[in-house]
Amino acid sequence: MLLSEASTSIYRQCIGTFAQKYPDTPINVVSPQTKDVIKIVLEKKYDVLFTFENMLSSSNGYDYIRIDDDPLCLVLPEQGPELTDIKDFSPLQDMTYVGISHEFSTYLVGDIEALMRDRGFIPKIVHTHSKLQSVLIAVEQGVGFSILPISVAEEGKYDVRAIPLHDRGASRVVAWKNANCSEITTLFGEFAKKHFTGELVRTRGRAEESPLED
């Protein structure tokens, strides 16, 4: 299984139930850097994915369930400024922007930069981090503000305020191979269709695929 960092909450919703239902089923879980997920998905190395829909192509041999949307949000310290208009970032002009680096995810950074451009906003001071955890710690401790997927900011581990921005985001999915996959993968797909209530999206399988990892 491949587990993206921002999809941890979806994994938590099902892995306990699946393990209890099929206690003799071996599970191998890998959590790569977000920047590597697209390459790994294209290589079809893993049979089950917890990731974003935009990491998948329309005919890549994975069926998936669209679980929810994960919009970007403004992340502020508890004592940070109030925003009356989320389209206006001018109250943040004198604050440090604590951002995620390209090393973590070029895709995420691109979305955040586009969101700022839409608002005509250029931060004066920028700190970058390669881990979401260190970004949230910095914001919590009053270093500055950030923009992150709301699923990350609302996990409750840090004392921060998350303000949904809605204009950019991606759907989180659980996906599984639909061709030349292991018996465990087929079992998980049937389990997922019963466990999750989101929209099921089917794609074309690829006969030349060979299963490598669950």
Side-chain angles (χ1 to χ4, degrees):
M1 292 184 179
L2 179 147
L3 175 61
S4 296
E5 188 171 359
S7 297
T8 302
S9 62
I10 296 173
Y11 176 74
R12 289 175 65 186
Q13 291 175 32
C14 71
I15 193 59
T17 305
F18 182 76
Q20 290 170 16
K21 189 174 179 65
Y22 305 105
D24 297 325
T25 300
I27 298 173
N28 175 32
V29 181
V30 175
S31 298
Q33 289 271 27
T34 303
K35 69 180 178 65
D36 297 324
V37 170
I38 293 178
K39 179 176 182 291
I40 292 171
V41 170
L42 288 173
E43 292 174 347
K44 301 178 179 64
K45 184 177 181 181
Y46 293 96
D47 284 1
V48 176
L49 314 171
F50 293 84
T51 187
F52 290 104
E53 185 174 21
N54 51 29
M55 301 291 185
L56 305 172
S57 70
S58 61
S59 60
N60 62 9
Y62 286 98
D63 289 347
Y64 61 91
I65 296 175
R66 189 178 289 123
I67 305 297
D68 60 17
D69 289 323
D70 196 17
L72 292 176
C73 71
L74 187 64
V75 188
L76 295 167
E78 287 290 353
Q79 303 304 317
E82 298 291 337
L83 265 71
T84 57
D85 180 2
I86 60 172
K87 295 288 187 181
D88 179 15
F89 277 13
S90 59
L92 308 174
Q93 193 61 60
D94 294 327
M95 293 183 68
T96 297
Y97 170 64
V98 185
I100 201 71
S101 67
H102 284 274
E103 179 184 350
F104 176 81
S105 171
T106 300
Y107 174 83
L108 178 58
V109 172
D111 254 11
I112 292 170
E113 290 176 346
L115 185 146
M116 288 185 177
R117 285 197 302 271
D118 290 345
R119 287 163 168 76
F121 180 79
I122 301 175
K124 290 181 179 178
I125 303 174
V126 177
H127 293 181
T128 58
H129 297 248
S130 62
K131 295 287 186 181
L132 295 173
Q133 180 182 17
S134 61
V135 171
L136 289 165
I137 290 172
V139 174
E140 178 189 56
Q141 296 303 311
V143 173
F145 75 96
S146 189
I147 298 172
L148 294 172
I150 199 166
S151 63
V152 174
E154 288 189 336
E155 279 194 345
K157 296 179 181 178
Y158 303 94
D159 293 327
V160 296
R161 287 189 291 130
I163 303 173
L165 298 173
H166 299 300
D167 38 348
R168 288 183 183 271
S171 295
R172 295 188 297 175
V173 303
V174 55
W176 57 93
K177 277 185 182 178
N178 59 18
N180 285 356
C181 55
S182 67
E183 182 179 347
I184 296 172
T185 303
T186 302
L187 191 69
F188 181 85
E190 293 304 313
F191 165 82
K193 284 185 282 188
K194 295 176 182 177
H195 187 80
F196 292 104
T197 59
E199 178 186 358
L200 174 64
V201 180
R202 297 184 182 276
T203 67
R204 297 198 307 273
R206 298 298 186 107
E208 69 272 16
E209 294 172 9
S210 59
L212 296 178
E213 300 284 351
D214 290 330

